[in-house]
Amino acid sequence: MTDNAISHLFEKNRQWAWQTTEQDPNFFKVLSMQQNPEYLWIGCADSRVPANEIVGLLPGELFVHRNVANMVVHTDHNCLSVLQYAVEVLKVKHIMVVGHYGCGGVKAALDGVRLGLIDNWLRHVVDAKEKFKPELDAISSYDERFARLCEVNVIEQVKNVCQTNIVLDAWEKEQDVTVHGWIYGLEDGRLRDLATSVGVQNDSVQVYQNAIKQLFA
């Protein structure tokens, strides 16, 4: 029996399924047969950042992994499993690490707020903050400093993706896969490229250094 408090979600689902079928009678039949996305989106779990809607892609066109503060941690088997499946099985051509301005996880790291278990996860953002402490401290505006740390976090996670054996092995085989770093604006709905695109022909270290330099120029 469905809880009345959430029964409206089933009604919304029925409406969505009906409208989708009206627009394309074969949509679900084709969708159920396979998924063949060219993109992997690694983003934040924030409910205000819906991956497919932001880039205007349909179900089946975007493979998605989300967690708090769009992290790529080398001990996170969940994220790495998604990455491996996307690269080795689905053969995605693009991996986008997508952060967003106003990220609560990044703000907690910036402010030194303790929230409990999640502090251990956000320690990776704290490490990034400490790594660029002189550059961040030189920014007088809190809002701007917060925005820079959101951007730094994306660039750091792009570097982490590039350092996984999954991506390194793909590049060694000259597989066509490129890693990108983007950030999303909650206030205007726009994506911004952080100039961190790295492919098989690129020097990931140089791209990383240039992106950071540009960020604090």
Side-chain angles (χ1 to χ4, degrees), residues 19-39:
Q19 291 172 352
T20 302
T21 304
E22 281 288 298
Q23 294 171 3
D24 182 357
N26 292 317
F27 180 83
F28 290 109
K29 180 179 179 180
V30 173
L31 185 66
S32 65
M33 292 168 59
Q34 65 176 351
Q35 63 168 335
N36 189 33
E38 293 190 3
Y39 314 98

Side-chain angles (χ1 to χ4, degrees), residues 40 79-88 95 161 164 166-167:
L40 168 61
C79 180
L80 295 180
S81 296
V82 171
L83 181 61
Q84 181 178 20
Y85 188 80
V87 172
E88 297 182 5
I95 301 167
V161 172
T164 62
I166 299 161
V167 171

Side-chain angles (χ1 to χ4, degrees), residues 139-158:
I139 301 172
S140 57
S141 166
Y142 175 84
D143 289 343
E144 185 178 345
R145 189 160 60 250
F146 182 15
R148 289 298 82 73
L149 185 56
C150 290
E151 294 165 343
V152 164
N153 184 48
V154 170
I155 296 172
E156 288 292 311
Q157 305 319 311
V158 168

Side-chain angles (χ1 to χ4, degrees), residues 167-194:
V167 171
L168 291 174
D169 288 348
W171 285 340
E172 188 173 330
K173 298 172 187 173
E174 297 188 348
Q175 184 174 333
D176 181 16
V177 57
T178 304
V179 186
H180 311 270
W182 298 348
I183 194 158
Y184 175 71
L186 295 172
E187 295 183 350
D188 62 8
R190 301 292 296 273
L191 286 166
R192 293 164 177 79
D193 190 339
L194 293 177

Side-chain angles (χ1 to χ4, degrees), residues 101-176:
Y101 295 115
C103 178
V106 174
K107 187 176 190 301
L110 179 63
D111 295 345
V113 176
R114 296 189 61 185
L115 300 172
L117 178 64
I118 197 174
D119 297 343
N120 300 285
W121 180 256
L122 295 178
R123 180 67 219 183
H124 300 285
V125 186
V126 174
D127 289 342
K129 179 187 73 171
E130 294 178 349
K131 182 178 182 180
F132 296 101
K133 189 176 188 302
E135 292 86 348
L136 291 168
D137 286 349
I139 301 172
S140 57
S141 166
Y142 175 84
D143 289 343
E144 185 178 345
R145 189 160 60 250
F146 182 15
R148 289 298 82 73
L149 185 56
C150 290
E151 294 165 343
V152 164
N153 184 48
V154 170
I155 296 172
E156 288 292 311
Q157 305 319 311
V158 168
K159 181 181 71 172
N160 288 347
V161 172
C162 294
Q163 291 176 342
T164 62
N165 65 327
I166 299 161
V167 171
L168 291 174
D169 288 348
W171 285 340
E172 188 173 330
K173 298 172 187 173
E174 297 188 348
Q175 184 174 333
D176 181 16

